[in-house]
Amino acid sequence: MNQNAHEPASLPVPAADALAASADLAARIRDEIATAGGWLPFDRYMELALYTPGLGYYSGGARKFGRRAEDGSDFVTAPELSPLFAQTLARPLAQALQASGTRELMEFGAGTGRLAAGILSALDALGVSLDSYAIVDLSGELRERQRETIEALGGELASRVRWLDALPERFEGIVIGNEVLDAMPVQLYARTGGIWHARGVAVGEAGAFRFEARALDAPAVQLTKEDAALFAELDAEIDPAIDYVAETHAAGAAFARTICAMLKRGAAFFIDYGFPRAEYYHPQRTQGTLMCHYRHRAHDDPFLYPGLQDITAHVEFTRIAEAGVETGADLLGYTSQARFLMNAGVTEVLSEIDPADASRFLPAANAVQKLLSEAEMGELFKVIAFSRGIDGTLDAFARGDRSHTL
């Protein structure tokens, strides 16, 4: 097999051991494709590439979070960008804890642990006491980094953190998921010549993976009623002569549904990049949003280096909102990251740094600019929250709430 059959010339080549692990994962995926009759739905391929135990991108040992390609990382998240993100987020979390009368936090996909450490420290500074901070993360490599980060807190704060291998049947407290929904496997569909097909994965020449379309009524295609209704709406809105690619989000919706059903009292916050349905399936978004990240470079080839690169899609927040509300949870709010952080007092947090101390203040101000700017993370990223047992809303959603757009 030509391991680099899909290799973009501008991307660095992984080390030999990483390539060997990727080759092992590719072999497993090819075996599953063969067992399935030569074709896998794309969401199953994405699940295998990201979560195969020991080899997948998130379940293996590949470094993910960092600031530069030179450190072996692929992308940077808001908690890695600045500690002010966690310090600001702690404020609405504290309000939600108080409003719900709960004392526990649970974080999904905790990255390097910086968000957890920052929230724990900020809540302590605000005088908010927690009984526990639970982390759910599939990556053994990241769990170790999380432990190192949190142990640096020392003493009582670090002792409150525990790692979960399974979800509790019920939870009373606050749930946090920062850039979790975008890592959920998505279904891919393509309309060509006015006809919708499921886009899946087959094996081509020299064992390379390739896209292959299947009719919606094919045995391997599991078309939901929601997706069928979506395609009918798109056909009515978009000229059938225009070819169109779209992702749908059954896994993300199922995750939101599970979390909101588990939540008996408290709130669940999800922060991610994406759009409400009307914007997500815009007539001009003809190629969908699927994207890959490798060494801080974005590209569109999900078959490059399986297990070594991130595969992601923007979140369709309307479907997430519907899934949460179906469980009986309340939609607490939905807004841009910029509005959420400004409402939560990010400028007040920044003002606690002396402007005269340029070595501290200027990097912090630059980071806040990236968190808030429409050209950076401020508009593309959204915050959606669900609640049970909280009357009214939170200050972070008091102005600029966009729930009406969902």
Side-chain angles (χ1 to χ4, degrees), residues 81-110:
L81 187 64
S82 171
L84 272 67
F85 179 80
Q87 292 170 31
T88 305
L89 178 58
R91 293 182 168 203
L93 298 184
Q95 188 181 9
L97 286 163
Q98 182 178 16
S100 62
T102 58
R103 295 169 58 91
E104 296 193 14
L105 284 176
M106 180 185 296
E107 183 183 355
F108 285 85

Side-chain angles (χ1 to χ4, degrees), residues 139-315:
S139 170
E141 181 265 340
L142 285 177
R143 281 194 179 197
E144 290 306 311
R145 294 178 70 184
Q146 291 157 14
R147 286 191 174 92
E148 293 175 4
T149 302
I150 290 164
E151 284 175 1
L153 291 174
E156 185 180 353
L157 291 182
S159 69
R160 297 175 188 169
V161 180
R162 56 194 177 99
W163 282 261
L164 301 181
D165 293 317
L167 295 182
E169 291 186 7
R170 56 182 290 144
F171 178 73
E172 296 187 356
I174 309 304
V175 176
I176 311 159
N178 182 62
E179 293 199 47
V180 171
L181 293 173
D182 69 89
M184 299 286 171
V186 296
Q187 295 88 3
L188 276 185
Y189 294 95
R191 188 181 69 180
T192 305
I195 305 297
W196 285 98
H197 297 84
R199 179 172 281 187
V201 182
V203 179
E205 295 182 4
F209 299 120
R210 61 180 175 82
F211 282 122
E212 184 175 290
R214 288 286 172 92
L216 296 184
D217 59 357
V221 177
Q222 298 180 343
L223 182 67
T224 66
K225 293 181 179 179
E226 293 87 351
D227 290 348
L230 170 66
F231 301 151
E233 292 178 10
L234 292 177
D235 284 341
E237 296 173 1
I238 303 173
D239 186 344
I242 298 175
D243 290 346
Y244 197 88
V245 176
E247 308 94 16
T248 62
H249 297 259
F255 176 73
R257 192 177 297 112
T258 297
I259 299 307
C260 289
M262 175 190 74
L263 186 69
K264 300 305 176 185
R265 186 161 53 105
F269 294 80
F270 300 107
I271 306 167
D272 229 308
Y273 43 88
F275 314 97
R277 182 169 296 152
E279 294 180 41
Y280 197 96
Y281 299 112
H282 192 278
Q284 295 181 355
R285 204 181 306 280
T286 59
Q287 296 302 308
T289 70
L290 190 75
M291 187 59 62
C292 304
H293 297 277
Y294 178 73
R295 298 297 185 266
H296 293 266
R297 296 168 173 86
H299 66 91
D300 61 0
D301 183 359
F303 306 133
L304 175 70
Y305 306 142
L308 303 184
Q309 66 166 350
D310 188 24
I311 307 173
T312 180
H314 288 50
V315 178

Side-chain angles (χ1 to χ4, degrees), residues 110-132:
T112 64
R114 287 189 180 181
L115 181 59
I119 288 173
L120 283 164
S121 297
L123 289 177
D124 188 60
L126 292 170
V128 177
S129 180
L130 290 179
D131 290 339
S132 71

